[in-house]
Amino acid sequence: MSWVTLNYLIQEVISMQDQPRIIVIDDDPLIRLLVGKALQAVGLQTTEAASAEEGLALFARCGADAVLLDVMMPGGMDGFAACALLRQLPEGQHIPVLMMTGLEDLESINHAFESGATDFITKPINIPLLGHRVRYMLRASHTTQCLLESEQRLHRMAYFDSLTDLPNRQFFREHLQRIIALAHRQKLKLAVLFLDLDGFKRINDTLGHHLGDQVLQETGERLRKSLRASDALIRTGATQDGDTLARLGGDEFTVLLSMIERDEDAASVAERIRISLAQAFNFDDHELYTTTSIGIAIFPDDGATAEELLKNADLAMYYAKREGGNKYRYFSTKMTDAALRRLALENNLRKAAGHGELELYYQPQLDLVTGTFCGVEALLRWDSVELGCIPPAEFIPLAEEAGLIAAIGEWVLRQACQQAKAWFTDDMPLARMAVNVSTVQLLHKGFYAMVTGILAETRLDPHVLELEITESALVCDEASVMGALSALKQIGVQLAIDDFGMGYSSLSRLKSFPIDRLKVDQSFVHNIEQDPENAAIATAIIAMAKSLGMKVTAEGVETDAQLAFLKDRKCDEAQGFLLAKPMPAIEIREFLLNQLISTE
């Protein structure tokens, strides 16, 4: 026990009322008189009763802080029976009961304690010492009660969340392990639901943590209401629905459904929770919406311990969130395999640049007016010694999620600028080096300084560098993106929108940004000569770009018919396997030189 707690208990004892009230129950009036005087001498108030029945009625009516009870009272109830009845009353469960008896045999003493006596005293009674003994018993009882209450408070602090009043992570883990043991013995199923609010960080960041706390509190209430009594199938004696719920921390909650009959039972609860949490939160003048992602793990199929079930439910929740959120997903072993691969990829990716496993390939871009190759796009490749060749579609999103994209992006930009400078030094016919930039990189506060630093370090003309950003970056944080692009434009860097047509940005937003080039996404170039919709979209993008004074590059050109269509629509440039595949630096140099010779 801490010193703070001990000091609190001492203060509680000291502050105990000055004159506690004692009921003296004895059929002998002389004993009642003598006992009363002894108790009053030490500052205690007394009330007398001549029989057990009278004493119990008096206690039920007025209460007391302690009871002195004679054992043998002829003509009525004895003290043993009276003590047992007293302990059955809510107010009589914890108060001191001192039994006065002339019986000194072991059987009578045991009977007294079995009836609920705190202590006993044999007659003839030492009257002067009696009052001090009762006073001591009162203080001891009060201290015990304070200790019990303090222990309850400490238990609640250790096992319950102060914000939502739900059980916390530690409580849930211990409780879940007990229920698993019960389910294992009885060969029953149970389900763990792992919940995470979608977009909760946005609420905290934009409206403040106070409002975020209100959302968490209301979430806890909605979860309580979403769980019907039939969902809380815990057979451990617990009667509160809250025992099936917990807040693990932040915006993460768990639900325990014990002893379910079918795996599908968990899905019905998850769907009910999903619908409930999707409803609007109304706080003061704010109407907020948030959804939840839910992962489900089933015992014994998905884990034999609390740790395994929570881990697998958490993993299933992660997959639900990756798929857009506002849904539930059951755990599967494929998720574990994917998670292990992701961990291996991340660990190896962190060391890839230092181990020389990263390399840039370059894909030429053809000027459709002059018929010459005017630029290249730098494309990152990763050939892992341990894992083999990893496609960019797999490791680039991982790099963004793991917080590695800034370091990798800096390595890519430096390598591309160094290569471009080397080619210019060798009089290579190259007007532009295009480098992809993620939204995370673009919004990083040190991005502008990093670009200008690398340009200065490599002494590359800024006009040669073209940074390609995704269309979705324009709608992410418009003010910040505008500031970053404008600063780069001022030093001469060219700017392009990659995969245009996939991000659903409006024309009004597009024309406000300092963009030099639109790159038509390859999905619209595919089958463009036969698909009227793709043809219409590509034609519209080319016309729109022309009207805004932008150049257009079509990606993914693979057939002569596609190339002819783009030329006919006055598209500026084309890029694709028909023209040239991505190649390492040494091959691209030879390719461009051969192209230069063939055009002379």
Side-chain angles (χ1 to χ4, degrees), residues 426-442:
D426 291 343
D427 296 324
M428 286 278 293
L430 181 69
R432 186 173 65 252
M433 171 67 78
V435 178
N436 290 280
V437 174
S438 75
T439 305
V440 176
Q441 290 175 267
L442 183 65

Side-chain angles (χ1 to χ4, degrees), residues 169 173 176 192 194 297 302 305-318 331 336 340:
R169 180 186 295 270
R173 284 179 181 272
L176 175 58
V192 172
F194 199 109
D302 301 331
T305 67
E307 189 69 30
E308 289 176 344
L309 287 175
L310 280 170
K311 179 191 69 175
N312 291 337
D314 186 8
L315 183 57
M317 179 278 295
Y318 170 77
F331 169 78
T336 301
L340 291 174

Side-chain angles (χ1 to χ4, degrees), residues 153-377:
R153 283 193 294 271
L154 292 173
H155 179 273
R156 191 156 195 87
M157 290 172 61
Y159 286 99
F160 284 80
D161 172 50
S162 60
L163 179 65
T164 62
D165 205 33
L166 291 174
N168 62 15
R169 180 186 295 270
Q170 185 64 28
F171 181 102
F172 192 83
R173 284 179 181 272
E174 294 180 9
H175 184 68
L176 175 58
Q177 196 59 53
R178 289 194 296 271
I179 299 303
I180 288 173
L182 179 63
H184 177 73
R185 289 194 299 271
Q186 299 183 4
K187 299 188 183 305
L188 298 170
K189 284 179 174 285
L190 62 85
V192 172
L193 277 59
F194 199 109
L195 292 74
D196 186 274
L197 299 182
D198 302 323
F200 178 73
K201 184 177 184 297
R202 183 184 67 252
I203 295 176
N204 268 344
D205 292 346
T206 57
L207 300 176
H209 288 270
H210 174 69
L211 206 59
D213 287 347
Q214 289 182 281
V215 171
L216 293 174
Q217 289 171 331
E218 177 62 21
T219 297
E221 287 301 314
R222 291 189 185 185
L223 286 173
R224 286 188 181 98
K225 294 175 182 178
S226 296
L227 291 178
R228 299 192 304 249
S230 59
D231 297 329
L233 300 176
I234 298 177
R235 307 303 187 198
T236 59
T239 57
Q240 296 180 349
D241 290 344
D243 288 350
T244 65
L245 289 174
R247 180 191 175 208
L248 300 190
D251 59 336
E252 294 181 341
F253 295 82
T254 49
V255 175
L256 169 61
L257 305 175
S258 61
M259 306 176 193
I260 60 174
E261 295 182 1
R262 305 172 306 157
D263 294 359
E264 293 80 1
D265 295 340
S268 64
V269 178
E271 179 63 11
R272 190 160 66 246
I273 289 173
R274 186 194 68 78
I275 293 172
S276 174
L277 296 184
Q279 304 305 308
F281 292 90
N282 293 289
F283 303 111
D284 300 327
D285 297 331
H286 298 283
E287 183 178 74
L288 306 176
Y289 289 89
T290 185
T291 56
T292 186
S293 298
I294 306 173
I296 303 172
I298 305 294
F299 172 87
D301 303 335
D302 301 331
T305 67
E307 189 69 30
E308 289 176 344
L309 287 175
L310 280 170
K311 179 191 69 175
N312 291 337
D314 186 8
L315 183 57
M317 179 278 295
Y318 170 77
Y319 271 81
K321 190 173 288 291
R322 281 190 63 184
E323 294 173 9
N326 194 26
K327 62 184 64 175
Y328 62 84
R329 285 289 177 265
Y330 280 93
F331 169 78
S332 71
T333 53
K334 291 182 179 179
M335 293 180 180
T336 301
D337 295 339
L340 291 174
R341 175 171 173 78
R342 184 186 187 281
L343 181 61
L345 285 171
E346 182 179 335
N347 290 339
N348 282 273
L349 187 56
R350 290 183 183 278
K351 302 174 289 185
H355 290 177
E357 296 176 352
L358 299 181
E359 183 180 6
L360 290 185
Y361 275 48
Y362 302 89
Q363 186 170 32
Q365 298 167 330
L366 180 69
D367 187 322
L368 297 182
V369 176
T370 64
T372 60
F373 287 97
C374 54
V376 295
E377 179 182 0

Side-chain angles (χ1 to χ4, degrees), residues 38 43 60 65 135 146 247 276 295 321 367 436 442 463 482 495 510 518 554:
D65 296 297
R135 183 76 178 183
C146 291
R247 180 191 175 208
S276 174
K321 190 173 288 291
D367 187 322
N436 290 280
L442 183 65
H463 293 86
M482 175 63 81
L495 302 170
L510 181 63
L518 298 183

Side-chain angles (χ1 to χ4, degrees), residues 527-532:
N527 206 25
I528 198 171
E529 68 280 15
Q530 297 178 353
D531 188 331

